[in-house]
Amino acid sequence: MIKDIYTGLKDIGMHYDAILTGYIHGHESLKATGEICIDVKRKNPNTLWVLDPVMGDEGQLYVSKSVIPVYREILKSGKVDVITPNQFELELLCDQEIYDKKSLHSAFRRVHKECNVKHIVVSSLNLTAEELGFQSDNEDSIYCCISSVDLPYPVIFEVQKLNSYFTGVGDLFSALLLDRMFKTKGDIISSTNQVLSVMSKVLFVTRHFAYTNNVGKCVQGRMGDPTTMKECELRIVECREFYSDRDEYFNPIMIR
Amino acid sequence: MESVNMNKVQPPDQQSPAPPSLPSMTTPTPTSLSTSTSTSTATTTTTASTTTEASTATSTSANSDNTNTSTSTSTSTDKTNTDISNTDYNPQKALNMPASFDPSIVQRLTPTKNLLAISSHVVHGNVGNDAIQFPLNLRHWNVDCIYTTNLSNHPGYRQFKGTKADADLVSILYTGLNDLNLHYDAAIVGYTASKENTAAVYQILKTFHDSGRRTVTVLDPILGDNGKMYVNSDLIPVYKDILRDGLVNLVTPNQFEIETLTDMKILTADDLKLAVNKFYQLYNVKNVVVTSVQLENNPDIYCVGSAGDGAIFYFKMEQIDAVFSGSGDFFLGLLTDCFVKYNGDLVKSLKETITIVTKVLQLTYDLCTDCTNTDQKRYIGDKLYLPDLKLIESKEILLDQHMLEANELVPVFI
């Protein structure tokens, strides 16, 4: 089906400046997706390809296990410009656990080398500052981490951890990152910083509406609970005016 | 794709004299790196070399856009109220936003209304739901789409791949939505593709009708155009049931569709009047809009409306010398927005809708005729064919909620 649709698009002479791939459940669709994107890149090497290897989170896989080798295969093509895994997904891609700075470094090295990916942006890293080799006064932090063939060392941003579940955060993150990478012509640090800044505004607004809709009581979104999940859908439409903002709220820190 | 501004990165190891310079690591690139950061780079460099390690995360500003240099990170030390299950939770305090962020912005954001749109989907192009969703997102609607097709593009390209949705898809998806107890302020029904899906639409509209909660429902009984059917005729009785049972607030047939639904031909102004009246006799719908009416020996195109009070009025449409795809779906979406916004005032709604649609079609035409590539131009008869409405390019037009020009449009009552 995916390939059929792509054939249709090709038949009418479509041209794409960028490709974004996200949630794909089975290895067959993923394989087809890979072939399509590689075909687009072959025709136009300047097409920016951002791949979000959506597989799971916090130790839980939510796609078929058979997609893991297919993702590795696709990355080996060397045609993917940016990947945006979370920590768990990065661990799956490089087949190693990440528990400190050293293991993080080696995971990045492997993905760059074996998988030939230019930029890796780990949207959420559940390590402490100490484990990452620096100090922070903040207890409730997660880290967004960039590794790039253009950078000598990974760069992290410290982000406040939110005590609730929001749906679609990763998808919005990847989409915005694609746009910023395109517009900054590949400045991965600035792009990520801008995206994190937009995201913080979107989360601020989403939490605000969740709070006001529940008359003074903020819901804590939980998976599988329809009443609270509804409030934890990102307020994508309300936040329209933020998407072009260029603020850079965060401090890039290099970890050696 | 290689440019990186390493000067903005701050090393955690304060022993190092300054952030590393990386000329060898970066490929020479154009001046894409923002000039606005150059001033703060200097600050960052010097501060970083003197800060203590413990405060590296919070003490420096990497951002010159940020007017307040002391709290530029999101992780300031304000730790109050992080427990959001607390009833005293104050979201403005609980999220550590930088001082440059104005939390009062949430007061200025427009809350959205919810709309369910059931129509076709094409991967490329702006027809069906793809002509409804983006414009209505800009006009403060959260649009939930049920797609009745999954096609690479619309048939106007003379070739396409993909399929219609399974006959039970509409029903299955709506059951899922209903289980979440979602409320819709409005619902739009466009291309339904099959008898089964149209029957599912009947059930959905009935649920809205029986729920006692107000959902404004708008139906475009898509059957065909210019004398040609392009759906299976077994859909017709289902549309008739929907209309007869009073399940929609507004219906938008084109000339061919009202002719089919009333079983009469419209050639003259009298025919038109007769057809509208007959429609009211046969069906139980308050608001009727007949899009694009063309009478015999008359080159003009009219948009005809009636709010069920016996009066029939029309607007003479400005004609653009081209054929468009998706303009009917786009019209349908905008009309629904205006109809809700103006509380069912059909004249006012049509004035604004027609004004916006005309502007967007004109922009689409101008953009396409400006382009130099004449090989790709196609004609239908002697008219230029424009397969894709330029909706993204029309953003400013679509954002305009107070279209003054709309007042210049005057309805003529028959």
Short mmCIF file of all heavy atoms in Angstrom, two decimals, chain A residues 122-156:
data_model
loop_
_atom_site.label_atom_id
_atom_site.label_comp_id
_atom_site.label_asym_id
_atom_site.label_seq_id
_atom_site.Cartn_x
_atom_site.Cartn_y
_atom_site.Cartn_z
N VAL A 122 19.01 12.79 20.84
CA VAL A 122 18.26 11.96 21.78
C VAL A 122 17.32 12.88 22.53
O VAL A 122 17.74 13.76 23.28
CB VAL A 122 19.21 11.23 22.76
CG1 VAL A 122 18.42 10.29 23.65
CG2 VAL A 122 20.25 10.46 21.99
N SER A 123 16.04 12.68 22.27
CA SER A 123 15.06 13.62 22.81
C SER A 123 14.97 13.57 24.33
O SER A 123 14.73 14.58 24.97
CB SER A 123 13.70 13.36 22.18
OG SER A 123 13.44 11.96 22.18
N SER A 124 15.15 12.39 24.91
CA SER A 124 15.14 12.34 26.37
C SER A 124 16.08 11.27 26.88
O SER A 124 15.97 10.10 26.52
CB SER A 124 13.72 12.09 26.88
OG SER A 124 13.27 10.85 26.40
N LEU A 125 16.99 11.73 27.70
CA LEU A 125 18.01 10.85 28.26
C LEU A 125 17.75 10.80 29.76
O LEU A 125 17.76 11.82 30.43
CB LEU A 125 19.37 11.49 27.97
CG LEU A 125 20.61 10.64 27.87
CD1 LEU A 125 20.44 9.50 26.90
CD2 LEU A 125 21.78 11.53 27.43
N ASN A 126 17.50 9.60 30.26
CA ASN A 126 17.19 9.49 31.69
C ASN A 126 18.42 9.20 32.53
O ASN A 126 18.47 8.22 33.26
CB ASN A 126 16.15 8.38 31.91
CG ASN A 126 14.75 8.94 31.83
OD1 ASN A 126 14.48 9.98 32.43
ND2 ASN A 126 13.88 8.27 31.10
N LEU A 127 19.41 10.06 32.40
CA LEU A 127 20.60 9.90 33.22
C LEU A 127 20.69 11.11 34.14
O LEU A 127 20.11 12.15 33.86
CB LEU A 127 21.85 9.84 32.33
CG LEU A 127 21.97 8.65 31.37
CD1 LEU A 127 23.25 8.76 30.57
CD2 LEU A 127 21.93 7.33 32.12
N THR A 128 21.43 10.97 35.24
CA THR A 128 21.59 12.11 36.12
C THR A 128 22.78 12.94 35.63
O THR A 128 23.61 12.46 34.86
CB THR A 128 21.88 11.66 37.56
OG1 THR A 128 23.09 10.89 37.55
CG2 THR A 128 20.75 10.80 38.10
N ALA A 129 22.85 14.15 36.14
CA ALA A 129 23.97 15.02 35.79
C ALA A 129 25.28 14.34 36.17
O ALA A 129 26.26 14.38 35.43
CB ALA A 129 23.83 16.36 36.49
N GLU A 130 25.25 13.72 37.31
CA GLU A 130 26.45 13.04 37.79
C GLU A 130 26.90 11.95 36.82
O GLU A 130 28.08 11.85 36.48
CB GLU A 130 26.15 12.42 39.16
CG GLU A 130 27.38 12.29 40.02
CD GLU A 130 27.03 11.64 41.36
OE1 GLU A 130 25.82 11.42 41.62
OE2 GLU A 130 27.96 11.34 42.11
N GLU A 131 25.92 11.16 36.38
CA GLU A 131 26.26 10.10 35.43
C GLU A 131 26.80 10.66 34.13
O GLU A 131 27.56 10.01 33.42
CB GLU A 131 25.02 9.23 35.16
CG GLU A 131 24.68 8.30 36.31
CD GLU A 131 23.24 7.75 36.24
OE1 GLU A 131 22.37 8.35 35.59
OE2 GLU A 131 23.01 6.71 36.87
N LEU A 132 26.36 11.90 33.81
CA LEU A 132 26.83 12.52 32.58
C LEU A 132 28.13 13.29 32.79
O LEU A 132 28.68 13.87 31.86
CB LEU A 132 25.75 13.46 32.02
CG LEU A 132 24.55 12.76 31.41
CD1 LEU A 132 23.40 13.74 31.20
CD2 LEU A 132 24.94 12.12 30.08
N GLY A 133 28.56 13.33 34.04
CA GLY A 133 29.86 13.92 34.32
C GLY A 133 29.87 15.42 34.54
O GLY A 133 30.83 16.09 34.23
N PHE A 134 28.77 15.96 35.02
CA PHE A 134 28.82 17.37 35.43
C PHE A 134 27.85 17.55 36.60
O PHE A 134 27.18 16.61 37.01
CB PHE A 134 28.50 18.30 34.26
CG PHE A 134 27.06 18.36 33.87
CD1 PHE A 134 26.27 19.45 34.23
CD2 PHE A 134 26.49 17.32 33.16
CE1 PHE A 134 24.94 19.49 33.86
CE2 PHE A 134 25.15 17.37 32.79
CZ PHE A 134 24.39 18.46 33.15
N GLN A 135 27.83 18.77 37.14
CA GLN A 135 26.98 18.98 38.29
C GLN A 135 25.81 19.89 37.97
O GLN A 135 25.93 20.80 37.16
CB GLN A 135 27.82 19.60 39.42
CG GLN A 135 28.71 18.58 40.08
CD GLN A 135 29.51 19.19 41.21
OE1 GLN A 135 29.20 20.28 41.68
NE2 GLN A 135 30.54 18.49 41.65
N SER A 136 24.71 19.61 38.62
CA SER A 136 23.54 20.46 38.43
C SER A 136 22.78 20.54 39.74
O SER A 136 22.75 19.58 40.50
CB SER A 136 22.65 19.87 37.34
OG SER A 136 21.37 20.43 37.44
N ASP A 137 22.18 21.68 40.00
CA ASP A 137 21.39 21.85 41.23
C ASP A 137 20.00 21.26 41.08
O ASP A 137 19.24 21.18 42.03
CB ASP A 137 21.24 23.35 41.55
CG ASP A 137 22.58 23.96 41.88
OD1 ASP A 137 23.49 23.20 42.27
OD2 ASP A 137 22.72 25.19 41.74
N ASN A 138 19.65 20.93 39.86
CA ASN A 138 18.27 20.53 39.61
C ASN A 138 18.11 19.03 39.69
O ASN A 138 18.84 18.29 39.05
CB ASN A 138 17.84 21.03 38.25
CG ASN A 138 18.17 22.50 38.06
OD1 ASN A 138 17.65 23.34 38.78
ND2 ASN A 138 19.07 22.77 37.15
N GLU A 139 17.13 18.64 40.48
CA GLU A 139 16.91 17.20 40.64
C GLU A 139 16.04 16.65 39.51
O GLU A 139 16.27 15.57 39.01
CB GLU A 139 16.26 16.91 41.99
CG GLU A 139 17.19 17.16 43.16
CD GLU A 139 16.42 17.57 44.40
OE1 GLU A 139 15.26 17.11 44.54
OE2 GLU A 139 16.96 18.36 45.19
N ASP A 140 15.03 17.42 39.15
CA ASP A 140 14.06 16.90 38.18
C ASP A 140 14.43 17.29 36.77
O ASP A 140 13.76 18.08 36.13
CB ASP A 140 12.66 17.43 38.50
CG ASP A 140 12.17 16.89 39.81
OD1 ASP A 140 12.43 15.70 40.08
OD2 ASP A 140 11.55 17.65 40.57
N SER A 141 15.49 16.73 36.28
CA SER A 141 15.89 17.08 34.93
C SER A 141 16.00 15.84 34.07
O SER A 141 16.32 14.76 34.55
CB SER A 141 17.25 17.77 34.93
OG SER A 141 17.17 18.99 35.60
N ILE A 142 15.70 16.04 32.82
CA ILE A 142 16.09 15.04 31.84
C ILE A 142 16.99 15.78 30.86
O ILE A 142 17.06 17.01 30.87
CB ILE A 142 14.89 14.39 31.11
CG1 ILE A 142 13.96 15.45 30.57
CG2 ILE A 142 14.15 13.44 32.01
CD1 ILE A 142 12.96 14.88 29.60
N TYR A 143 17.64 15.03 30.01
CA TYR A 143 18.59 15.68 29.13
C TYR A 143 18.29 15.36 27.68
O TYR A 143 17.94 14.24 27.34
CB TYR A 143 20.02 15.26 29.51
CG TYR A 143 20.35 15.70 30.91
CD1 TYR A 143 20.07 14.89 32.01
CD2 TYR A 143 20.86 16.97 31.14
CE1 TYR A 143 20.31 15.32 33.30
CE2 TYR A 143 21.11 17.42 32.43
CZ TYR A 143 20.83 16.60 33.51
OH TYR A 143 21.05 17.05 34.78
N CYS A 144 18.39 16.39 26.88
CA CYS A 144 18.30 16.21 25.45
C CYS A 144 19.74 16.25 24.96
O CYS A 144 20.48 17.16 25.31
CB CYS A 144 17.47 17.34 24.86
SG CYS A 144 17.45 17.31 23.07
N CYS A 145 20.12 15.25 24.20
CA CYS A 145 21.54 15.13 23.88
C CYS A 145 21.76 15.04 22.37
O CYS A 145 21.07 14.30 21.66
CB CYS A 145 22.09 13.89 24.57
SG CYS A 145 23.86 13.77 24.41
N ILE A 146 22.72 15.81 21.89
CA ILE A 146 23.04 15.82 20.46
C ILE A 146 24.40 15.19 20.24
O ILE A 146 25.35 15.51 20.94
CB ILE A 146 23.13 17.26 19.93
CG1 ILE A 146 21.86 18.04 20.20
CG2 ILE A 146 23.45 17.26 18.44
CD1 ILE A 146 22.03 19.53 19.97
N SER A 147 24.49 14.32 19.28
CA SER A 147 25.80 13.88 18.84
C SER A 147 25.83 14.05 17.33
O SER A 147 24.88 13.67 16.64
CB SER A 147 26.02 12.42 19.21
OG SER A 147 27.26 12.00 18.69
N SER A 148 26.89 14.65 16.85
CA SER A 148 26.95 14.94 15.42
C SER A 148 28.35 14.70 14.90
O SER A 148 29.32 14.91 15.62
CB SER A 148 26.53 16.39 15.20
OG SER A 148 26.91 16.82 13.92
N VAL A 149 28.44 14.30 13.67
CA VAL A 149 29.77 14.12 13.09
C VAL A 149 30.48 15.47 12.96
O VAL A 149 31.68 15.53 12.79
CB VAL A 149 29.71 13.43 11.69
CG1 VAL A 149 29.26 11.99 11.83
CG2 VAL A 149 28.80 14.19 10.74
N ASP A 150 29.71 16.55 13.10
CA ASP A 150 30.32 17.88 13.04
C ASP A 150 30.84 18.34 14.39
O ASP A 150 31.45 19.39 14.49
CB ASP A 150 29.28 18.91 12.56
CG ASP A 150 28.75 18.58 11.19
OD1 ASP A 150 29.48 17.92 10.42
OD2 ASP A 150 27.61 18.95 10.89
N LEU A 151 30.53 17.60 15.45
CA LEU A 151 30.91 18.02 16.80
C LEU A 151 31.94 17.06 17.38
O LEU A 151 31.82 15.85 17.21
CB LEU A 151 29.68 18.02 17.72
CG LEU A 151 28.49 18.90 17.34
CD1 LEU A 151 27.31 18.59 18.26
CD2 LEU A 151 28.85 20.36 17.44
N PRO A 152 32.93 17.60 18.12
CA PRO A 152 33.94 16.72 18.71
C PRO A 152 33.37 15.91 19.88
O PRO A 152 33.84 14.81 20.16
CB PRO A 152 35.02 17.68 19.18
CG PRO A 152 34.32 18.98 19.38
CD PRO A 152 33.20 19.02 18.40
N TYR A 153 32.40 16.47 20.57
CA TYR A 153 31.80 15.80 21.72
C TYR A 153 30.29 15.99 21.69
O TYR A 153 29.81 16.95 21.08
CB TYR A 153 32.34 16.39 23.03
CG TYR A 153 33.82 16.23 23.17
CD1 TYR A 153 34.66 17.32 22.93
CD2 TYR A 153 34.39 15.01 23.54
CE1 TYR A 153 36.03 17.19 23.04
CE2 TYR A 153 35.76 14.87 23.65
CZ TYR A 153 36.58 15.95 23.39
OH TYR A 153 37.93 15.82 23.49
N PRO A 154 29.58 15.14 22.37
CA PRO A 154 28.12 15.35 22.46
C PRO A 154 27.79 16.63 23.23
O PRO A 154 28.58 17.08 24.06
CB PRO A 154 27.62 14.13 23.23
CG PRO A 154 28.70 13.11 23.10
CD PRO A 154 29.98 13.87 23.00
N VAL A 155 26.64 17.19 22.91
CA VAL A 155 26.18 18.40 23.57
C VAL A 155 24.85 18.09 24.22
O VAL A 155 24.00 17.43 23.62
CB VAL A 155 26.02 19.54 22.53
CG1 VAL A 155 25.24 20.70 23.10
CG2 VAL A 155 27.39 19.99 22.03
N ILE A 156 24.68 18.55 25.46
CA ILE A 156 23.39 18.28 26.10
C ILE A 156 22.68 19.58 26.48
O ILE A 156 23.28 20.63 26.66
CB ILE A 156 23.52 17.39 27.36
CG1 ILE A 156 24.42 18.06 28.39
CG2 ILE A 156 23.98 16.01 27.03
CD1 ILE A 156 24.30 17.41 29.75
#
